């Protein structure tokens, strides 16, 4: 037994989720972060002018970005040009969602600049004199006891004799004689009120500015989305376009331009999916065949998907030869084959000519699709109703139409390109079941995620390696560098990579919830990822100390709720170094990697090798998708951390590095949103209320921590004076929802610019409203679109072939354009950068 215990002592287990483990000094983390960040930034500056199909993909392929200024090819010349791009240009080029996203970073910079100056001038001298002041070279708190080695937590009677709570209590009592003067805590009380007021002030000012821009932007444009409502809960007797149109017009609100009742189009959508798959297989077969012997084949002219009102013209086009008049003639060269299965349970198989097989299958699918488009499908209780003006649509969406509960519920419709048509014909019970099931699963997964992660990371610990391969463990221990990398780096890397995989899992699960639009999925992704980030990177560490001790500690604290605030305050103070290093790494180390798009750069050769057809190469150079749900949660968490630590001794460093994070993040995301990545989803700035509510939740945590921290020093009067801020914050959130949130959902009738010249004289025109001379990005994007399932009207896609195996070179810098639903979206990377990921047809 003694030998066993001795071996345990010589092998210190490492908990990768314990933020109070072997913590590096801040200057060490600073050096590492600078090494990472500078190398990534230099790599970006070198690659940017040489790889414009990646780093200027949006500028080259999206019409809305054409008006943006060209960035010089010099090493640093692009930076002042990007700096001079105004908010008006951002709004015109990238849209309202990008403006809102960047506004959060700009507001954070302003707020934390003021807080950092106040903290440096006033609080730093106070903390240095009365408490302690951590520095990059010495971040330890002299008032905290030295924690025991981690191996002493093993449950063996002869070595587990450390009572942590008793040690803390003894240390606290011993420190009272050293720091008898706690009058400085009254300054903490004053600054808690001050920083709460500053946060509310900056948030309110930014909210008013966003509301003003949103009302002017949406009121001055004319899109089909702004004139359309989504009407749900339609009773059976009204499920007809003519009857529903007459019912709406009887309300005397205005004329109905069109009505689209969603129907159960699943058989047709399935046929379109099969056709898209078969078309790709046919293109691959032709590419393989043409690669064996070059043919003088002309690429068939690709027909852009568009809506056609002339039924005869559409039928004639769809019935035309699949490959046009330039059909490659068969050769005597060996042709590619494919294996098909048939018979009972598909147990028999045989090889057939791949080109003939897929071409015949495609011809049959075309016939089935043409026939399916002429069928009648059962109506669902969901419809899109387009009015003849924006005013009438906004009046309709803000009123109660029917006196029966759950009937004729009107909401603003999503953009036609954002509608997930497969979910429109899901029944309401099915949609609710999906939503609640996945929500509960995500909630449970967020709470228990670190349990399986810890088990996997534990297998890579040096102690585990010694049990399986003692020789390798001896080699690793012979080098301090290798030992440090394996002992602390490898388990931490596993935890980090698995945590990075969570947003992609949540993105996939969100697409299965039955939401009607991609914009709703995007906003839901923000909520899901923030829940995961806030729970696993803040609550787990502050309440439990690490994931391995979270649940026992939480169980003990729920039995004694009064201790929860004390434990939270005490843990937050002890974790100052950990969160300083965390924000430092995010700001200086990882932001340049996001700019570099490291995942795309690393995986491009693999994707290039896997590309065969001209369509594959065209998709390879499409702009990656910028998903706000991958970037906002971490930024909101860092905002909350800066607020929580703003008054504490480590606050000046956290505010400084937080300011760097938001400054670098602002220009990093500004570059990506304008030049490199595309954001096709249409949420009209709907993320801003979500940001504000989470900021207010962070304010509540900040106030709770300060109340507990002051109470720990037995300043109960000052602590009790902090408590009123908590119900005030709750009241303000209610006030915000009633006062500002409606203006983030609807367009005010006075903001609508229709007939503005006749409705207002120059003296009466509302201040700040100027008629826009050019079209908005939404108007350009929705030009010619209608609320109709594309499977019913889109022209059937022709095949893309080329006479050269090296299809990419033949396109040069301008490959054939792709529709967003046909493109390959980008979502995987190191950090938050992207690689290509194929979106299924639910993105139509």
């Amino acid at each position: 037994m003694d030998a066993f215990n001795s071996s345990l002592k010589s092998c210190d287990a490492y908990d990768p989720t314990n933020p109070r483990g072997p913590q590096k000094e801040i200057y060490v983390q600073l050096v590492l972060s600078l090494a990472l960040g500078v190398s990534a930034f230099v790599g970006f500056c070198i690659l940017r002018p040489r790889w414009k199909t990646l780093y200027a993909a949006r500028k080259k392929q999206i019409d809305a970005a054409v008006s943006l200024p060209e960035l010089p090819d010099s090493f640093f010349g692009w930076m002042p040009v990007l700096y001079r791009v105004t908010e008006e240009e951002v709004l015109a080029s990238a849209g309202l969602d990008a403006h809102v996203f960047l506004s959060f970073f700009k507001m954070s910079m302003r707020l934390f600049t003021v807080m950092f100056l106040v903290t440096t001038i006033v609080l730093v001298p106070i903390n240095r004199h009365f408490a302690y002041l951590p520095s990059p070279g010495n971040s330890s708190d002299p008032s905290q006891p030295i924690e025991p080695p981690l191996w002493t937590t093993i449950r063996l009677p002869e070595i587990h004799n450390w009572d942590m709570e008793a040690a803390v209590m003894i240390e606290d009592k011993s420190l009272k004689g050293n720091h008898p003067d706690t009058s400085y805590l009254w300054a903490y009380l004053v600054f808690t009120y001050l920083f709460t007021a500053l946060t509310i002030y900056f948030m309110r000012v930014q909210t008013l500015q966003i509301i003003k821009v949103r009302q002017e932007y949406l009121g001055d444009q004319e899109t089909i989305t702004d004139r359309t409502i989504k009407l749900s809960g339609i009773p059976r007797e009204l499920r007809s376009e003519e009857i529903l149109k007459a019912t709406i017009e009887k309300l005397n609100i205005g004329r109905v331009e069109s009505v689209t009742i969603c129907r159960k189009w699943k058989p047709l959508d399935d046929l379109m999916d099969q056709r898209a798959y078969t078309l790709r297989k046919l293109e691959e077969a032709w590419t393989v065949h043409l690669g064996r012997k070059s043919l003088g084949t002309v690429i068939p002219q690709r027909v852009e998907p568009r809506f056609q009102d002339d039924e005869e013209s559409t039928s004639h086009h769809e019935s035309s030869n699949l490959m046009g008049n330039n059909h490659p003639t068969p050769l005597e060269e060996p042709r590619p084959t494919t294996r098909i299965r048939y018979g009972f349970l598909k147990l028999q198989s045989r090889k057939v000519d791949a080109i003939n097989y897929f071409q015949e299958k495609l011809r049959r699918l075309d016939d089935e699709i043409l026939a399916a488009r002429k069928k009648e499908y059962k109506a669902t209780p969901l419809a899109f109703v387009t009015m003849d003006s924006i005013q009438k649509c906004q009046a309709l969406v803000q009123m109660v139409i029917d006196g029966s509960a759950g009937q004729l519920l009107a909401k603003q419709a999503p953009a036609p390109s954002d509608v997930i048509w497969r979910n429109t014909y899901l029944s309401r019970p099915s949609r609710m079941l999906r939503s609640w099931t996945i929500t509960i699963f995500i909630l449970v997964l967020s709470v228990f995620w670190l349990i399986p992660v810890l088990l996997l990371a534990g297998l890579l610990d040096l102690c585990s390696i010694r049990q399986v391969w003692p020789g390798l463990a001896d080699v690793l221990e012979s080098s301090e560098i290798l030992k440090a990398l394996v002992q602390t780096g490898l388990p931490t890397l596993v935890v980090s990579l698995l945590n990075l995989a969570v947003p992609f899992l949540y993105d996939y699960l969100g697409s299965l919830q039955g939401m009607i639009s991609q914009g709703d999925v995007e906003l839901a992704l923000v909520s899901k990822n923030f829940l995961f980030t806030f729970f696993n990177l803040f609550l787990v560490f502050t309440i439990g100390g690490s994931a391995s001790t979270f649940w026992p500690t939480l169980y003990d604290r729920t039995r004694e709720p009064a201790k929860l605030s004390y434990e939270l305050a005490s843990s937050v103070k002890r974790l100052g170094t950990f969160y300083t290093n965390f924000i430092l790494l995010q700001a200086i180390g990882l932001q340049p990697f996001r700019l570099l798009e490291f995942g795309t750069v690393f995986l491009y050769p693999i994707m290039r090798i896997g590309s065969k057809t001209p369509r594959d190469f065209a998709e390879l150079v499409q702009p990656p998708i910028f998903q706000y749900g991958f970037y906002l949660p971490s930024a909101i968490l860092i905002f909350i951390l800066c607020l929580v630590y703003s008054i504490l001794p480590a606050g000046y460093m956290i505010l400084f590095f937080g300011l760097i994070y938001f400054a670098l993040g602002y220009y990093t995301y500004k570059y990506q949103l304008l030049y490199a990545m595309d954001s096709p989803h249409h949420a009209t700035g709907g993320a801003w209320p979500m940001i504000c509510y989470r900021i207010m939740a962070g304010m509540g945590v900040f106030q709770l921590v300060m109340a507990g921290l002051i109470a720990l020093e037995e300043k109960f009067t000052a602590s009790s004076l902090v408590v009123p801020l908590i119900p005030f914050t709750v009241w303000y959130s209610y006030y915000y929802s009633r006062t500002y949130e409606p203006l983030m959902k609807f367009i005010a009738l006075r903001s609508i610019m229709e007939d503005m010249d006749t409705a207002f004289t120059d003296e009466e025109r509302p201040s700040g409203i100027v008629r826009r001379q050019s079209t908005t990005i939404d108007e350009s994007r929705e030009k010619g679109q209608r609320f109709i399932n594309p499977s019913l009207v889109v022209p059937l896609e022709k095949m893309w072939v080329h006479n050269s195996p090296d299809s990419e070179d033949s396109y040069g810098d301008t490959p054939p354009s792709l529709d967003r639903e046909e493109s390959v979206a980008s979502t995987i990377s190191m950090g938050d950068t992207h690689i290509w990921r194929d979106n299924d047809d639910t993105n139509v």
Side-chain angles (χ1 to χ4, degrees):
M1 187 67 178
D2 294 338
F4 175 69
N5 293 341
S6 177
S7 65
L8 286 175
K9 291 182 180 181
S10 63
C11 182
D12 296 340
Y14 172 65
D15 185 354
T17 67
N18 182 11
R20 296 194 298 271
Q23 217 21 256
K24 297 182 180 68
E25 292 294 346
I26 296 174
Y27 78 90
V28 177
Q29 184 67 60
L30 177 61
V31 172
L32 293 175
S33 298
L34 283 173
L36 287 173
V38 171
S39 61
F41 181 75
V42 170
F44 168 78
C45 292
I46 294 173
L47 291 176
R48 186 188 63 82
R50 293 168 174 79
W51 198 349
K52 292 188 177 182
T53 54
L54 173 63
Y55 294 114
R58 187 174 186 273
K59 171 71 174 174
K60 294 173 67 66
Q61 301 191 39
I62 304 299
D63 293 337
V66 173
S67 60
L68 290 172
E70 291 287 343
L71 298 180
D73 291 341
S74 57
F75 203 81
F76 296 117
W78 59 275
M79 298 174 66
V81 178
L82 179 67
Y83 175 80
R84 289 193 293 267
V85 175
T86 64
E87 291 186 359
E88 290 75 15
E89 290 177 301
V90 172
L91 193 64
S93 174
L96 194 58
D97 292 321
H99 172 76
V100 168
F101 179 74
L102 295 177
S103 294
F104 171 59
F105 282 79
K106 182 170 285 190
M107 180 201 73
S108 302
M109 284 191 289
R110 293 167 178 166
L111 173 62
F112 293 140
T113 298
V114 175
M115 293 174 64
F116 173 71
L117 293 176
V118 172
T119 299
T120 305
I121 295 172
V122 182
L123 284 175
V124 165
I126 292 176
N127 286 323
R128 180 189 292 115
H129 179 75
F130 290 97
Y132 78 102
L133 191 69
S135 64
N138 182 16
S139 58
S140 60
D141 182 359
S143 66
Q144 295 299 326
I146 301 175
E147 295 193 6
L150 194 62
W151 54 263
T152 59
T153 59
I154 300 175
R155 296 182 178 179
L156 296 176
E158 55 270 37
I159 65 173
H160 185 66
N161 55 7
W162 187 276
D163 190 341
M164 195 64 212
E165 289 192 8
V168 173
M169 295 299 294
I170 293 172
E171 186 67 22
D172 288 343
K173 292 180 180 179
S174 65
L175 290 173
K176 290 181 181 179
N178 298 331
H179 299 282
D181 188 0
T182 57
S183 59
Y184 71 97
L185 295 174
W186 288 100
Y188 281 17
L189 170 64
V190 172
F191 281 96
T192 302
Y193 274 83
L194 176 61
F195 288 169
T196 298
L198 283 174
T199 304
I200 292 177
Y201 171 76
F202 278 94
M203 184 172 63
R204 179 180 177 276
V205 169
Q206 194 64 49
T207 298
L208 293 176
Q209 190 270 340
I210 289 176
I211 288 174
K212 179 176 178 293
V213 170
R214 183 182 185 275
Q215 294 293 325
E216 294 179 5
Y217 181 86
L218 296 180
D220 194 18
Q221 70 178 9
E222 178 72 23
T223 66
I224 189 173
T225 301
D226 298 324
R227 295 186 291 111
T228 304
I229 64 170
K230 177 177 66 102
L231 199 62
S232 58
I234 303 174
R236 294 185 181 277
E237 61 272 13
L238 298 181
R239 295 179 189 177
S240 167
E241 279 81 357
E242 294 77 12
I243 297 176
L244 185 59
K245 180 179 180 181
T247 301
I248 299 298
E249 289 183 338
K250 285 180 182 178
L251 299 175
N252 295 323
I253 295 176
R255 184 178 65 86
V256 177
E257 185 176 286
S258 65
V259 175
T260 299
I261 293 183
C262 298
R263 301 178 181 274
K264 296 186 177 181
W265 293 303
K266 189 176 186 304
L268 177 58
D269 288 337
D270 290 343
L271 287 174
M272 293 295 290
D273 290 346
Q274 294 177 34
R275 188 187 190 279
Y277 173 79
T278 303
L279 181 62
R280 284 182 173 272
K281 299 299 291 185
L282 180 59
E283 289 175 346
E284 289 180 10
W286 270 114
T287 301
V288 171
H289 182 54
L290 296 177
R292 294 176 178 173
K293 184 176 180 64
S294 179
L295 289 174
T297 306
V298 180
I299 302 178
Q301 180 65 35
R302 181 178 180 272
V303 179
E304 295 292 334
R306 62 184 184 276
F307 298 131
Q308 299 186 15
D309 295 323
D310 188 353
E311 183 176 352
E312 292 183 0
S313 175
T314 305
S315 300
H316 173 75
H317 171 74
E318 293 169 350
S319 301
S320 62
N321 191 345
L322 172 67
M323 297 186 60
N325 297 323
N326 298 298
H327 194 299
T329 57
L331 299 177
E332 295 182 357
E333 296 289 335
R335 290 160 63 93
T337 60
T338 186
R339 183 175 296 275
I340 61 172
R341 295 190 173 276
Y342 61 96
F344 180 71
L345 297 178
K346 305 292 184 181
L347 296 178
Q348 295 178 283
S349 66
R350 61 187 172 129
K351 286 186 177 182
V352 297
D353 184 279
I355 295 177
N356 292 339
Y357 172 75
F358 288 118
Q359 188 164 318
E360 176 61 20
K361 185 177 181 180
L362 196 62
R363 185 191 64 79
R364 293 182 180 180
L365 285 172
D366 288 349
D367 294 339
E368 293 179 22
I369 289 172
L370 291 176
R373 286 180 171 180
K374 298 176 182 178
K375 293 181 179 179
E376 290 291 332
Y377 296 92
K378 185 178 179 180
T380 67
L382 181 68
F384 295 100
V385 180
T386 302
M387 306 298 292
D388 61 344
S389 70
I390 302 177
Q391 296 100 321
K392 296 164 186 176
C393 173
Q394 289 299 311
L396 188 61
V397 81
Q398 298 180 47
M399 67 168 52
V400 179
I401 299 177
D402 195 272
S404 302
Q407 288 192 4
L408 297 182
L409 304 177
K411 291 185 178 181
Q412 186 69 50
S417 58
D418 265 9
V419 177
I420 305 175
W421 290 97
R422 280 189 171 274
N423 292 341
T424 59
Y425 45 77
L426 289 176
S427 64
R428 183 177 180 83
S430 174
R431 191 178 294 115
M432 291 183 64
L433 179 62
R434 284 190 180 197
S435 178
W436 280 104
T437 301
I438 293 178
T439 299
I440 294 173
F441 175 76
I442 287 176
L443 181 63
V444 173
L445 184 63
S446 298
V447 173
F448 293 97
W449 171 256
L450 281 176
I451 295 178
V453 172
L454 278 175
L455 295 176
L456 181 58
L459 297 177
L460 301 176
D461 186 75
L462 191 60
C463 298
S464 302
I465 295 175
R466 178 170 295 281
Q467 295 177 4
V468 178
W469 194 348
L472 178 60
D474 293 336
V475 172
L476 295 174
E477 285 190 334
S478 63
S479 172
E480 290 297 327
I481 297 178
L482 290 177
K483 180 181 178 181
L485 287 175
V486 175
Q487 183 73 358
T488 61
L490 199 56
T492 303
L493 178 64
V494 171
V495 173
S496 300
L497 292 178
L498 290 177
N499 285 344
L500 287 175
V502 170
F504 303 100
L505 175 61
Y506 285 1
D507 184 27
Y508 170 74
L509 293 176
S511 66
L512 301 179
Q513 282 190 278
M515 297 180 185
I516 300 299
S517 73
Q518 290 286 2
D520 293 339
V521 174
E522 187 81 12
L523 294 178
L525 182 61
V526 174
S527 297
K528 295 180 180 71
N529 284 344
F530 177 78
L531 170 66
F532 174 84
T533 303
F534 183 74
F535 184 86
N536 287 284
L537 291 181
F538 184 77
L539 290 183
V540 167
F541 291 159
T542 55
I543 295 179
S546 69
S548 57
T549 60
F550 173 73
W551 289 110
T553 305
L554 182 63
Y555 176 73
D556 294 338
R557 294 299 173 258
T558 53
R559 296 170 62 185
E560 299 177 282
K563 288 187 177 182
L564 187 59
S565 178
Y566 295 111
E567 180 68 25
L568 180 63
S570 179
S571 296
V572 165
K573 189 175 181 180
R574 292 196 300 266
L575 294 175
T577 301
F578 168 75
Y579 285 122
T580 302
N581 287 336
F582 172 76
I583 297 175
L584 175 59
L585 177 63
Q586 292 288 324
I588 301 177
L590 295 185
Q591 286 290 12
F593 271 96
R594 297 187 179 106
L595 190 64
L596 179 64
E597 296 185 55
F598 180 80
T600 304
V601 175
F602 179 76
L603 291 173
Y604 179 82
I606 301 175
M607 306 303 295
R608 173 64 176 80
I609 293 173
S611 298
K612 298 179 181 179
T613 67
R615 191 185 304 273
D616 293 336
F617 287 109
E619 290 174 345
L620 192 61
V621 296
Q622 288 295 299
I625 299 297
F626 188 96
Q627 290 189 278
Y628 297 99
F630 285 75
Y631 303 94
L632 258 180
S634 58
I636 298 174
L637 176 66
I638 290 177
F639 184 100
I640 293 175
L641 290 175
C642 291
L643 185 61
V644 168
Y645 278 94
S646 57
I647 300 178
L648 300 182
Y652 79 100
M653 289 191 297
I654 288 183
L655 285 173
F656 177 72
F657 293 129
L659 180 59
I660 294 177
Y661 171 84
F662 284 105
L664 294 181
Y666 175 79
Y667 291 104
T668 295
Y669 296 134
K670 185 178 182 180
Y671 178 89
Q672 291 184 330
L673 285 167
L674 294 180
Y675 290 93
M677 304 174 77
D678 189 25
S679 179
H681 306 319
H682 183 93
T684 65
W688 183 251
M690 301 178 66
I691 294 172
C692 291
Y693 287 131
R694 280 149 186 80
I695 289 176
M696 285 183 270
M699 289 167 53
V701 174
F702 165 60
Q703 294 151 8
L704 185 64
V705 167
M706 295 311 302
L709 193 64
I710 296 174
L712 281 175
E713 301 294 338
E714 299 182 0
K715 282 288 184 179
F716 298 110
T717 302
S719 176
S720 62
L721 291 176
V722 176
V723 174
L725 284 175
I726 299 176
F728 170 78
T729 303
V730 175
W731 170 83
Y732 186 78
S733 66
Y734 173 77
Y735 170 80
Y736 185 95
S737 66
R738 298 296 299 267
T739 305
Y740 302 117
E741 190 172 358
L743 294 172
M744 294 299 300
K745 287 184 178 180
F746 310 114
I747 308 175
L749 297 181
R750 292 197 66 201
S751 299
I752 299 173
M753 302 295 295
E754 181 177 284
D755 298 327
M756 181 62 76
D757 292 332
T758 58
F760 295 102
T761 65
D762 292 339
E763 293 78 12
E764 296 174 337
R765 186 182 302 276
S767 61
I769 296 182
V770 180
R771 179 176 294 278
R772 187 182 292 107
Q773 299 299 322
S774 59
T775 59
T776 66
I777 185 175
D778 296 328
E779 289 175 324
S780 302
R781 186 183 295 159
E782 298 179 25
K783 185 178 180 180
Q785 292 188 356
R786 291 188 297 163
F787 281 91
I788 185 169
N789 189 344
S791 298
L792 293 169
V793 294
V794 68
L796 299 181
E797 187 71 29
K798 285 188 176 183
M799 186 178 70
W800 292 12
V801 293
H802 199 272
N803 63 339
S804 171
D806 192 3
S807 303
E808 184 185 34
D809 296 338
S810 63
Y811 290 129
D813 290 334
T814 56
S817 61
L818 289 174
D819 292 330
R820 175 54 53 191
E821 62 267 18
E822 295 172 347
S823 70
V824 180
S826 163
T827 46
I828 279 188
S829 68
M830 176 177 184
D832 290 329
T833 53
H834 288 65
I835 63 168
W836 304 103
R837 175 177 59 83
D838 192 10
N839 282 353
D840 57 24
D841 286 333
T842 59
N843 291 336
V844 174

